[in-house]
Amino acid sequence: MSPVIPIQADAGCNSAPVLRERGQREVFCGLTGIIWLHRKMQDAFFLVVGSRTCAHLIQSAAGVMIFAEPRFATAILDERDLAGLADAQEELDRVVQRLLERRPDIRLLFLVGSCPSEVIKLDLSRAAGRLNQRFSPRVRVLNYSGSGIETTFTQGEDACLAALVPELPAAPARAVAELLVVGTLADVVEDQFRRLFEAMGLRRVTFFPSRSSTALPAVGPSTRLLLAQPFLGDTAKALEARGARRVPAPFPLGAEGSAAWLLAAALAMGVDATAAEKAIAPARQRAMQALAPHRATLAGKQVFFFPDSQLEIPLARFLARELGMRLTEVGTPYLHRQHLAEELALLPAGTALSEGQDVERQLDRCRAAQPDLVVCGLGLANPLEAEGLTTKWAIELVFTPIQGFEQAGDLAGLFTRPLRRRQLLAA
Amino acid sequence: MQLTLWTYEGPPHVGAMRVATAMRGVHYVLHAPQGDTYADLLFTMIERRGERPPVTYTTFQARDLGGDTAQLFKDAARDAYARFQPQALLVGASCTAELIQDDPGGLAAALQLPVPVIPLELPAYQKKENWGASETFYQLVRTLAVKPATPRVKGPQPRCNLLGPTALGFHHRDDLREITQLLVQLGIAINVIAPWSTTPADLARLADADFNVVLYPEIAQTAAAWLTRSFGQPATKTIPIGVQGTREFIAEVVELAGLEANAAGPQDAASRSPWYARSVDSTYLTGKRVFVFGDATHAIAAARVASREFGFQVVGLGSYSREFGRELRAAAAGYGLEALITDDYLEVEAAITAAAPELVLGTQMERHIAKRLGLPCAVISAPMHVQDFPARHAPQMGFEGANVLFDTWVHPLMMGLEEHLLSMFRGDFEFHEDAAPSHLGRAAAPASSAPIELPATSPAAWTADAEQELRKIPFFVRAKARRNTEAFALSRSLPLITLETLYDAKAHFSK
């Protein structure tokens, strides 16, 4: 842990009880990850093998983006495919053949499993292996599951990146330590971090996923793994299995989070702490400046998080510590204790945490608490507004660049805007 | 397996949700994996509803698949009943749950709830959204409509049911208001409107009407046919879209209601659309080539309005509603066309490109296709995006609907006067395609004197004076003039396109 943020052993939420609930979950499935993953990996195509529901979901989530020659599609299963499995594999070959003829620029093809394909046990890894032989070396074919029965929203990215890990080249055994930043970041954010790392004296930094599938970063025992997103459990495990060692750090949200994240990396890479702090000081100062006006609006206000992306805990930490908000309940679809240890330590003691969901009961708790701001999905946002609560829809937090110093003010702005709007319209 | 990028319709359970969400007092328990709740946001975001759809999902996950998914379903159904206290419960499975074969109907029946439980069989791998809505509505009507012990005694005032409007329907809210008004003006009482805002108790009273008005056959035709068979209620067949459609609809309704044919009723004087279409500014609409695609009801009606009320030429007619293939083929034959029945938007795009229309009337997808092809376009059918759930009153049906159609379809076109001015002042030193807008206060950059690039496959070369003349044609029709002239030259094996050829071609194609 970075020495910058003192952590008292008796504070935080590391040993706090977590309410675990099961019931109806109002969340996206992992297929949704395709929407931002395909923007990042510019020569990859995502082919979902699923039902009309899957195609409809992606279409609804992608909005107008679906027409800018997107690099994703659905192979819709029909009755004939359900009748016999051998036939389904042939059908898949035919669809992939047609797809690759249409899009010769594709270098990496993901076959993405869905609930229907998982339930009928359509073996997509076998299909990927077979197609790989057929289209190699021009196109690499991989598979992962983005099904709702196995993944929640951002876990789709985890499954995708974990499937890509075996493809990473091996770093030479006695190589100099390299920092591998893992998790999809907007290009603008990635570039900012790259500049900051360089200013701190870290030159050997690579990002995963990379923008091109032909320039994948190497991994090996010399790799130091820095997670940029909190939902990458399987990816981290796969990278650790190849020898990489994780750098424990909170996530780069807000001025404090970004500083702690960067300094943790500096420490792990053996850079002088004072020099590193000096290198990031101007940006950190700018971030704090940008946050100040938002603090005036948000301080003392109550915020309630419905589970969505696993970003909830880092966001709650940012809102509580840097903007003075009070946390009513922080819900997360899945809580990875190890990866979030640094975040939990920073949360105010006594924060109500919940993992999983029974949406009706959670709504009852939310209504009873009458928070000033509710962070929730689009299925709940308008109905809660109609009940008089102010909401911030959560998906935007995944699609918008929010990490790093320069985005700290924007991130706070996402939470102040609905409150300011309510005030404006009431006036 | 079908390679799909865009789908015109959702799965059938979304159709069932549209019916459940339109109604009051029903709840739908859907056996579905985690993630299928995405469909909620179609209602809360696109239609901007201020309440959640009345749907409880079991949201099973991989770890539940061991065998307790049936218990999960029973718990969800029991809890949903206890919490929402509906008058009737719909139960069914989404595509994934269909594969695990839990039988929601049987499981829910075992709970012995004190309300009707209606199991929905929606084959997700064969059928789609509209079929799902139609089937759900039919099952609700079949289960809940009560057959009267004695035949109905006709009252002093004719009564009808209004069938078809659902949640997430294309302008259903405003059509409903328009048609209700129209029927009331005719002196007809409305018995039940369904499924919009209706309750299961209301559906029980369906038999207490003389006839049914079917607004959207995709959703209500099956139920209406059953009501005709079971209660002897006739149903309307005319769709009141456009002034002529509305007049015919009135005539049909008047007859079904047994009213005097010339009774004082709604007058189409209120409709400005016929006059607007006759006014001289609309002369330029004559023969504009229009391509029509949408659900069968809206596509057929739009083609008719376009050709008979606005004087366009229909150059393509198609639909994704396979259930209405026969009606569509018949309508297309009337324009000397072959109907395009497909749910593959790439096929639609190819057909639009081939037909080279000047206006596209379609769905959200055609709007994007038209944008890519640089063609004017108006949306006439679902699927649509949030902007087609407007705050203002914007019906498609009735006389006000005809006004809306005129405005909506003509606005994307170059208005006549504007077009006239453009051609009158073409070549004017500050009025050509390279000129910067004059309000920017900058001198226009001189027009490029570079020769017009010829496609490599061009069959004939252009002489300098022909080329010069071509440049005088307004830029927005120049490409077409070039294509036509070259095709003409090719058909006559002319090696060189002269001024003469240009005008010969113009004469040839202006026939």
Side-chain angles (χ1 to χ4, degrees):
Chain A
M1 189 54 237
S2 149
V4 182
I5 299 166
I7 294 165
Q8 287 90 40
D10 57 345
C13 285
N14 261 328
S15 51
V18 176
L19 174 65
R20 284 200 175 76
E21 277 197 308
R22 284 191 63 181
Q24 178 179 328
R25 294 173 69 129
E26 188 84 18
V27 288
F28 278 128
C29 64
L31 294 181
T32 330
I34 292 171
I35 311 289
W36 66 86
L37 281 168
H38 90 284
R39 301 308 310 158
K40 188 71 192 180
M41 301 189 217
Q42 295 167 4
D43 54 2
F45 195 100
F46 294 79
L47 179 66
V48 178
V49 183
S51 64
R52 184 167 301 280
T53 313
C54 307
H56 198 231
L57 159 89
I58 297 189
Q59 168 173 325
S60 308
V64 295
M65 224 206 288
I66 202 143
F67 283 98
E69 275 300 320
R71 282 172 284 103
F72 52 83
T74 310
I76 295 186
L77 297 163
D78 54 36
E79 289 171 293
R80 292 179 308 121
D81 302 307
L82 300 180
L85 286 182
D87 184 42
Q89 294 277 0
E90 278 170 33
E91 282 285 290
L92 189 58
D93 286 6
R94 186 180 57 79
V95 166
V96 168
Q97 173 82 40
R98 188 180 164 208
L99 177 72
L100 292 177
E101 277 165 12
R102 279 181 62 91
R103 297 298 301 266
D105 51 323
I106 297 308
R107 292 285 165 274
L108 178 59
L109 174 68
F110 286 103
L111 302 177
V112 189
S114 66
C115 302
S117 73
E118 301 285 323
V119 167
I120 64 169
K121 307 220 182 301
L122 182 57
D123 192 343
L124 289 185
S125 70
R126 211 183 85 205
R130 188 181 59 238
L131 288 162
N132 233 335
Q133 283 190 340
R134 185 152 150 209
F135 293 103
S136 172
R138 187 168 73 84
V139 185
R140 247 183 307 183
V141 186
L142 300 174
N143 81 290
Y144 73 90
S145 169
S147 70
I149 56 176
E150 284 165 334
T151 57
T152 305
F153 197 28
T154 48
Q155 276 181 314
E157 173 170 338
D158 189 24
C160 173
L161 297 187
L164 200 49
V165 168
E167 301 294 309
L168 302 186
R174 289 175 184 280
V176 196
E178 274 209 24
L179 184 68
L180 181 64
V181 180
V182 182
T184 299
L185 293 168
D187 287 353
V188 58
V189 177
E190 189 179 304
D191 293 342
Q192 286 167 13
F193 282 146
R194 205 184 287 277
R195 285 196 296 271
L196 286 170
F197 282 129
E198 237 168 69
M200 292 193 301
L202 274 73
R203 302 211 187 277
R204 307 180 61 86
V205 181
T206 48
F207 288 81
F208 180 57
S210 48
R211 294 177 207 189
S212 158
S213 70
T214 50
L216 292 171
V219 63
S222 57
T223 306
R224 296 288 171 278
L225 169 61
L226 182 64
L227 295 181
Q229 302 280 12
F231 43 73
L232 298 172
D234 288 348
T235 307
K237 206 155 85 186
L239 287 165
E240 279 163 350
R242 293 193 57 180
R245 271 171 297 157
R246 189 173 67 89
V247 178
F251 293 92
L253 297 174
E256 181 189 52
S258 302
W261 185 77
L262 289 162
L263 292 172
L267 188 76
M269 299 288 284
V271 169
D272 173 59
T274 328
E277 278 200 58
K278 208 174 141 201
I280 62 169
R284 187 180 188 173
Q285 190 55 40
R286 262 200 310 277
M288 280 157 66
Q289 224 166 5
L291 287 174
H294 296 289
R295 192 179 172 95
T297 315
L298 295 175
K301 297 258 186 345
Q302 300 253 25
V303 58
F304 190 110
F305 280 89
F306 278 82
D308 189 58
S309 63
Q310 298 185 48
L311 280 165
E312 294 82 5
I313 288 173
L315 285 169
R317 178 264 303 159
F318 163 67
L319 291 176
R321 291 174 62 99
E322 300 192 48
L323 295 160
M325 292 192 89
R326 291 189 291 149
L327 309 174
T328 315
E329 176 175 332
V330 182
T332 178
Y334 178 72
L335 177 59
H336 195 299
R337 285 235 166 237
Q338 211 185 347
H339 289 181
L340 282 159
E342 288 71 28
E343 290 286 353
L344 289 169
L346 294 173
L347 272 187
T351 303
L353 297 173
S354 64
E355 183 183 6
Q357 189 175 32
D358 179 327
V359 73
E360 301 295 349
R361 279 195 224 154
Q362 197 167 27
L363 280 166
D364 289 344
R365 291 199 298 275
C366 180
R367 289 181 186 118
Q370 286 292 307
D372 299 291
L373 189 66
V374 184
V375 184
C376 61
L378 289 173
L380 299 177
N382 270 337
L384 287 175
E385 290 278 349
E387 289 182 24
L389 290 161
T390 305
T391 62
K392 164 73 216 116
W393 45 283
I395 312 166
E396 197 177 8
L397 297 160
V398 177
F399 292 156
T400 315
I402 55 170
Q403 292 84 1
F405 292 124
E406 315 302 342
Q407 283 67 239
D410 303 343
L411 175 57
L414 292 178
F415 297 94
T416 40
R417 195 174 302 127
L419 289 165
R420 220 176 68 223
R421 182 164 186 80
R422 174 151 294 240
Q423 213 172 19
L424 274 171
L425 299 184
Chain B
M1 240 177 243
Q2 185 200 357
L3 182 60
T4 314
L5 188 59
W6 178 278
T7 151
Y8 282 95
E9 291 182 73
H13 74 259
V14 169
M17 286 180 70
R18 288 177 53 189
V19 172
T21 306
M23 288 181 68
R24 296 283 161 264
V26 293
H27 199 85
Y28 184 19
V29 181
L30 183 62
H31 206 15
Q34 164 177 271
D36 278 5
T37 52
Y38 82 88
D40 281 1
L41 66 88
L42 303 172
F43 298 90
T44 61
M45 295 307 291
I46 297 182
E47 200 174 5
R48 291 189 219 247
R49 287 193 173 244
E51 65 216 357
R52 294 166 64 214
V55 183
T56 293
Y57 305 79
T58 54
T59 55
F60 55 83
Q61 292 173 270
R63 59 166 185 248
D64 302 316
L65 289 178
D68 59 351
T69 50
Q71 189 57 42
L72 203 65
F73 181 84
K74 284 206 276 193
D75 293 345
R78 198 186 291 112
D79 290 352
Y81 175 74
R83 183 176 277 269
F84 299 103
Q85 299 279 315
Q87 294 174 25
L89 200 67
L90 295 169
V91 297
S94 81
C95 51
T96 305
E98 190 182 327
L99 299 172
I100 61 175
Q101 300 181 330
D102 269 340
D103 183 24
L107 292 169
L111 295 176
Q112 304 205 303
L113 298 174
V115 291
V117 172
I118 302 162
L120 298 174
E121 295 288 339
L122 306 175
Y125 298 92
Q126 300 162 32
K127 304 289 189 182
K128 288 179 276 188
E129 179 179 328
N130 279 336
W131 188 89
S134 172
E135 172 69 11
T136 304
F137 186 46
Y138 166 64
Q139 292 297 345
L140 276 160
V141 167
R142 237 192 108 126
T143 313
L144 298 170
V146 179
K147 192 177 171 89
T150 55
R152 174 177 136 74
V153 183
K154 233 179 145 193
Q157 195 185 17
R159 295 164 75 86
C160 72
N161 298 315
L162 250 177
L163 306 181
T166 61
L168 266 190
F170 186 72
H171 295 261
H172 284 196
R173 175 198 69 194
D174 303 338
D175 285 349
L176 185 58
R177 183 172 130 194
E178 209 53 34
I179 297 305
T180 307
Q181 243 172 32
L182 195 145
L183 292 167
V184 169
Q185 280 178 358
L186 283 167
I188 298 168
I190 312 274
N191 182 48
V192 172
I193 295 170
W196 188 274
S197 290
T198 201
T199 63
D202 293 331
L203 290 183
R205 301 186 288 109
L206 276 171
D208 196 22
D210 302 308
F211 66 99
N212 290 314
V213 170
V214 175
L215 288 186
Y216 309 103
E218 276 88 349
I219 289 150
Q221 190 163 282
T222 312
W226 184 83
L227 289 168
T228 306
R229 285 199 305 276
S230 309
F231 303 157
Q233 290 171 332
T236 59
K237 306 233 163 2
T238 318
I239 302 300
I241 294 184
V243 169
Q244 294 180 18
T246 306
R247 281 191 202 135
E248 280 169 31
F249 172 78
I250 291 173
E252 188 185 22
V253 165
V254 161
E255 190 178 332
L256 287 179
L259 294 169
E260 294 277 324
N262 289 324
Q267 299 297 312
D268 54 4
S271 180
R272 283 172 289 271
S273 155
W275 163 242
Y276 269 46
R278 266 202 323 277
S279 78
V280 294
D281 192 58
S282 299
T283 313
Y284 287 83
L285 301 178
T286 313
K288 284 259 186 222
R289 299 164 59 81
V290 54
F291 188 97
V292 185
F293 195 87
D295 67 29
T297 301
H298 285 92
I300 293 171
R304 183 182 145 141
V305 173
S307 85
R308 286 171 56 187
E309 300 188 26
F310 297 169
F312 295 141
Q313 186 197 349
V314 179
V315 295
L317 176 58
S319 173
Y320 55 82
S321 313
R322 286 186 188 279
E323 294 87 349
F324 290 80
R326 207 172 33 157
E327 289 86 338
L328 207 85
R329 274 188 282 271
Y335 305 101
L337 297 169
E338 188 160 342
L340 173 70
I341 299 169
T342 180
D343 55 4
D344 183 347
Y345 90 98
L346 293 172
E347 271 184 50
V348 180
E349 186 175 75
I352 293 179
T353 312
E358 291 159 279
L359 174 67
V360 177
L361 301 176
T363 72
Q364 190 64 17
M365 279 76 110
E366 283 67 49
R367 199 169 69 88
H368 286 277
I369 292 170
K371 197 193 282 173
R372 191 182 303 168
L373 298 174
L375 294 170
C377 176
V379 175
I380 57 153
S381 157
M384 59 291 183
H385 209 48
V386 62
Q387 69 266 34
D388 270 299
F389 284 94
R392 65 171 192 279
H393 182 56
Q396 305 289 293
M397 293 185 169
F399 294 125
E400 182 59 23
N403 294 339
V404 170
L405 296 186
F406 185 88
D407 289 348
T408 315
W409 298 4
V410 171
H411 277 181
L413 291 169
M414 183 92 54
M415 293 293 285
L417 189 60
E418 221 172 304
E419 185 167 329
H420 176 65
L421 288 174
L422 270 177
S423 54
M424 196 157 84
F425 295 118
R426 69 172 183 235
D428 186 309
F429 76 102
E430 48 186 11
F431 203 85
H432 53 86
E433 75 270 34
D434 301 321
S438 56
H439 66 270
L440 292 181
R442 288 266 193 86
S448 160
S449 57
I452 293 174
E453 249 181 75
L454 289 177
T457 53
S458 175
W462 289 68
T463 62
D465 54 348
E467 191 79 63
Q468 199 63 38
E469 198 71 6
L470 184 70
R471 282 198 67 86
K472 293 181 192 163
I473 295 172
F475 58 87
F476 46 87
V477 288
R478 195 178 300 149
K480 192 174 152 196
R482 173 186 289 279
R483 262 201 319 273
N484 283 350
T485 309
E486 285 170 358
F488 178 80
L490 188 69
S491 72
R492 291 191 171 38
S493 311
L494 302 175
L496 196 67
I497 294 171
T498 62
L499 211 66
E500 292 295 297
T501 324
L502 181 66
Y503 283 111
D504 284 346
K506 184 170 188 296
H508 174 78
F509 285 104
S510 70
K511 273 188 290 204

